[in-house]
Amino acid sequence: MKAIFPQHDDSFAGQAMLPPQSLKARKGRGAVSNLQGRYEVHGREGFDDGWSAPDEEGEEAASAWKTQVSDEQARTILSRNTSPDLPFGVSLNPYRGCEHGCIYCFARPTHSYLGLSPGLDFESRIFAKVNAPELLRRELAKPSYVAEPIALGVNTDAYQPCERERQLTRRVLEVLHECDHPVGLITKSSLIERDIDLLAPMAARHLASVAITLTTLDPAISRTLEPRAAAPARRLRTIRSLTDAGIPVGVSIAPIIPFVTEPEIEQLLEAVRDAGAINAHYVVLRLPWEVNPLFQQWLEAHFPERSQRVMNRVREMRGGKDYDSSFGARMHGEGVWADLIRQRFEKAVHRLGLHGKGGRFRQLDSTQFRRPLVVPTMGVKGKGGNAGQLDLF
């Protein structure tokens, strides 16, 4: 079976689109399939041999996609980039995979590196970097380390559900708080309110800022688009809670999906202004690698009557392709429709006063940084005689 969508430099050509009749949404999950990653050598195709009863199939499916969180010992914890499209150069992600299940997530293809699917595996097979706080301490303690704002939770949400138990994000924040290190967070989760006790005093010293991602105000759309993220109304309350605590909050209207979330641009911006946000930016829908067939499957499952219109508009903004990864164009697109979205967004932002205080990372202060007094030893006996004990630096 051949793919039914145009290919391009960053598309995933190895996975066929499922026929419409086989597309079935799963409650609480964004992806409707577990398509194989682009590095898989052998193809797999499901086949009903008639031996399973319908209820048995449902039980097996529910069991197969129950969330599993595995411990991972990471070798490094800080990622660096030189992309002109990003406002930060250093990021930290405590988790791989994300249970929020956002179908549009640009990080989905990274599960292919693990031999797992960017589809249902990405949102049900989560890896927790349990040594993240210790690795961060070691990094900050290096004499060569130069402080600059760290973006926390960029690839996958640092406040996804398993953070309630694992608390890796909080422990990372405790290290940054101790070292007066600037941090910028982005999340869809109300769990960030738990850490106001750390973020508020940091924000008062220009060491912390937060961005809340809001895609739609329609709970029905949100429930399928980003099924395990906080509801839109709850995110608005989170903006208000953080703002009232003195933490500057920006909003990422992302992604803007033609004919799905795009009609809400002005309404979204008015809602976040009323909730206390001070600035906003946007990103149009991006479909790199396996995200492309996964998103098109989601469209066929949830919006079959408008799926072709959506993809036609996407291609108009991408030079006739499903995706264009060129710097300067990948975030906002090009052409008439991309320009109309830009104009609508900019006019609303200026009308509502959401263009103040500049970029959230540029407002953070790196001059207050001080190296940690305590760093973990790695395989060396500490003062108590136990390997890995904390020693004074």
Side-chain angles (χ1 to χ4, degrees), residues 154-280:
V154 179
N155 268 11
T156 56
D157 203 309
Y159 286 100
Q160 60 179 289
C162 62
E163 166 63 15
R164 293 185 184 277
E165 176 185 348
R166 298 299 179 118
Q167 298 198 24
L168 290 174
T169 299
R170 179 164 180 93
R171 289 169 56 202
V172 164
L173 280 176
E174 287 172 344
V175 174
L176 297 174
H177 179 272
E178 173 190 328
C179 297
D180 292 332
H181 195 295
V183 61
L185 301 98
I186 184 166
T187 184
K188 299 181 178 75
S189 175
S190 60
L191 181 57
I192 192 173
E193 296 173 1
R194 176 200 66 188
D195 295 334
I196 285 178
D197 63 319
L198 295 173
L199 294 172
M202 293 180 74
R205 301 176 60 197
H206 304 288
L207 293 173
S209 66
V210 173
I212 300 295
T213 299
L214 195 61
T215 311
T216 176
L217 294 176
D218 187 331
I221 293 178
S222 181
R223 197 174 298 117
T224 62
L225 190 66
E226 40 202 19
R228 299 200 181 191
R234 186 66 183 89
R235 283 181 240 182
L236 290 174
R237 294 207 305 274
T238 296
I239 294 173
R240 172 51 60 193
S241 297
L242 295 172
T243 298
D244 289 347
I247 302 166
V249 182
V251 172
S252 174
I253 307 295
I256 292 178
I257 305 173
F259 303 118
V260 179
T261 65
E262 164 262 325
E264 299 181 64
I265 291 175
E266 292 81 4
Q267 187 182 2
L268 277 166
L269 289 170
E270 186 170 348
V272 301
R273 188 278 311 270
D274 292 345
I278 60 174
N279 56 51

Side-chain angles (χ1 to χ4, degrees), residues 78-83 86-91 148-151 361:
L78 295 182
S79 301
R80 289 176 168 80
N81 77 84
T82 57
S83 170
L86 299 177
F88 57 86
V90 184
S91 59
E148 62 178 291
I150 291 176
F361 285 96

Side-chain angles (χ1 to χ4, degrees), residues 295-311:
F295 179 78
Q296 291 196 52
Q297 290 173 6
W298 178 86
L299 271 179
E300 289 292 344
H302 296 285
F303 295 98
E305 77 289 349
R306 71 181 86 166
S307 61
Q308 195 59 53
R309 291 178 64 207
V310 172
M311 290 309 301

